[in-house]
Amino acid sequence: MKLSDMSSGPDWGLWVVFAIFSVLSVVLLSGHGSWLISGYNTASKEEKAKYDAKKLCRTTGAGMAVVAVLILTMGIFEDVLPAGFAYIALGIIMIDCIAVILVGNTKCKK
Protein backbone atom coordinates (compact mmCIF):
# COMPACT_ATOMS: atom_id res chain seq x y z
CA MET A 1 0.00 0.00 0.00
CA LYS A 2 1.31 3.43 -0.95
CA LEU A 3 1.00 6.74 0.86
CA SER A 4 -1.36 7.99 -1.85
CA ASP A 5 -3.77 5.14 -1.05
CA MET A 6 -4.24 6.53 2.47
CA SER A 7 -4.94 10.05 1.23
CA SER A 8 -8.62 10.89 1.19
CA GLY A 9 -8.53 14.66 0.77
CA PRO A 10 -7.71 16.87 -2.19
CA ASP A 11 -4.06 17.24 -3.20
CA TRP A 12 -4.24 21.03 -3.14
CA GLY A 13 -4.73 20.92 0.63
CA LEU A 14 -1.26 19.48 1.08
CA TRP A 15 0.26 22.18 -1.09
CA VAL A 16 -1.55 24.92 0.84
CA VAL A 17 -0.16 23.56 4.12
CA PHE A 18 3.31 23.37 2.57
CA ALA A 19 3.04 26.98 1.36
CA ILE A 20 1.93 28.21 4.78
CA PHE A 21 4.74 26.37 6.58
CA SER A 22 7.29 27.60 4.03
CA VAL A 23 6.27 31.25 4.34
CA LEU A 24 6.21 31.08 8.14
CA SER A 25 9.61 29.39 8.27
CA VAL A 26 11.14 32.04 5.98
CA VAL A 27 9.69 34.81 8.15
CA LEU A 28 11.05 33.18 11.30
CA LEU A 29 14.43 32.33 9.78
CA SER A 30 14.86 35.99 8.86
CA GLY A 31 14.68 36.79 12.58
CA HIS A 32 11.25 38.40 12.46
CA GLY A 33 7.89 37.14 13.59
CA SER A 34 8.55 36.59 17.27
CA TRP A 35 4.83 37.27 17.76
CA LEU A 36 4.21 33.89 16.07
CA ILE A 37 6.02 31.94 18.80
CA SER A 38 3.57 30.67 21.37
CA GLY A 39 4.62 31.44 24.90
CA TYR A 40 7.08 34.12 23.87
CA ASN A 41 4.41 36.50 22.57
CA THR A 42 2.42 36.21 25.81
CA ALA A 43 5.41 36.48 28.14
CA SER A 44 6.00 39.52 30.29
CA LYS A 45 8.68 42.04 29.36
CA GLU A 46 10.92 40.68 32.12
CA GLU A 47 10.57 37.15 30.78
CA LYS A 48 11.15 38.26 27.17
CA ALA A 49 14.34 40.02 28.27
CA LYS A 50 15.81 36.63 29.23
CA TYR A 51 15.74 35.38 25.62
CA ASP A 52 17.52 36.35 22.42
CA ALA A 53 14.53 36.98 20.15
CA LYS A 54 16.42 36.57 16.85
CA LYS A 55 17.98 33.29 17.93
CA LEU A 56 14.61 32.03 19.16
CA CYS A 57 12.98 33.00 15.84
CA ARG A 58 15.68 31.24 13.85
CA THR A 59 15.42 28.10 15.97
CA THR A 60 11.65 27.96 15.53
CA GLY A 61 11.99 28.73 11.81
CA ALA A 62 14.47 25.88 11.36
CA GLY A 63 12.06 23.51 13.06
CA MET A 64 9.24 24.65 10.81
CA ALA A 65 11.46 24.28 7.75
CA VAL A 66 12.08 20.63 8.64
CA VAL A 67 8.32 20.03 8.75
CA ALA A 68 7.84 21.94 5.48
CA VAL A 69 10.47 19.81 3.72
CA LEU A 70 8.84 16.67 5.11
CA ILE A 71 5.43 17.77 3.78
CA LEU A 72 7.00 18.56 0.40
CA THR A 73 8.62 15.13 0.30
CA MET A 74 5.35 13.41 1.08
CA GLY A 75 3.53 15.50 -1.52
CA ILE A 76 6.00 14.82 -4.32
CA PHE A 77 6.62 11.15 -3.59
CA GLU A 78 3.17 10.09 -2.40
CA ASP A 79 2.89 7.54 -5.23
CA VAL A 80 6.25 5.99 -4.34
CA LEU A 81 6.46 6.10 -0.54
CA PRO A 82 4.96 3.22 1.45
CA ALA A 83 2.02 3.92 3.75
CA GLY A 84 4.25 3.31 6.76
CA PHE A 85 6.15 6.49 5.95
CA ALA A 86 3.37 8.40 7.70
CA TYR A 87 4.59 6.91 10.99
CA ILE A 88 8.19 7.79 10.15
CA ALA A 89 7.11 11.36 9.37
CA LEU A 90 5.25 11.53 12.68
CA GLY A 91 8.39 10.39 14.50
CA ILE A 92 10.52 12.98 12.71
CA ILE A 93 8.04 15.74 13.58
CA MET A 94 7.96 14.69 17.24
CA ILE A 95 11.77 14.64 17.46
CA ASP A 96 11.90 18.01 15.70
CA CYS A 97 9.42 19.54 18.17
CA ILE A 98 11.37 18.21 21.15
CA ALA A 99 14.63 19.53 19.69
CA VAL A 100 13.15 23.00 19.07
CA ILE A 101 11.79 23.15 22.62
CA LEU A 102 15.12 22.06 24.12
CA VAL A 103 17.22 24.43 22.02
CA GLY A 104 14.76 27.26 22.59
CA ASN A 105 14.95 26.84 26.34
CA THR A 106 18.73 26.45 26.53
CA LYS A 107 20.70 27.99 23.66
CA CYS A 108 18.33 30.91 23.07
CA LYS A 109 18.61 32.35 26.56
CA LYS A 110 20.87 35.35 27.04
Side-chain angles (χ1 to χ4, degrees):
M1 185 149 95
K2 301 291 179 205
L3 194 58
S4 60
D5 297 336
M6 290 177 38
S7 174
S8 60
D11 286 344
W12 60 266
L14 181 76
W15 298 111
V16 169
V17 171
F18 168 70
I20 290 170
F21 270 70
S22 297
V23 168
L24 291 177
S25 66
V26 167
V27 168
L28 287 166
L29 283 171
S30 69
H32 301 87
S34 62
W35 57 274
L36 291 169
I37 302 172
S38 178
Y40 182 77
N41 62 355
T42 58
S44 64
K45 290 185 180 184
E46 297 83 25
E47 190 69 26
K48 284 183 180 181
K50 295 178 184 178
Y51 290 91
D52 183 359
K54 282 201 179 267
K55 197 180 280 189
L56 188 61
C57 285
R58 289 185 181 134
T59 301
T60 308
M64 288 193 76
V66 169
V67 176
V69 167
L70 193 59
I71 291 171
L72 177 67
T73 303
M74 289 192 301
I76 292 174
F77 299 112
E78 69 180 344
D79 294 327
V80 179
L81 291 171
F85 187 76
Y87 298 113
I88 295 170
L90 178 64
I92 292 170
I93 291 171
M94 289 178 67
I95 291 169
D96 182 50
C97 288
I98 291 169
V100 167
I101 290 170
L102 290 176
V103 171
N105 285 321
T106 56
K107 301 282 184 187
C108 296
K109 286 194 175 183
K110 288 185 180 176

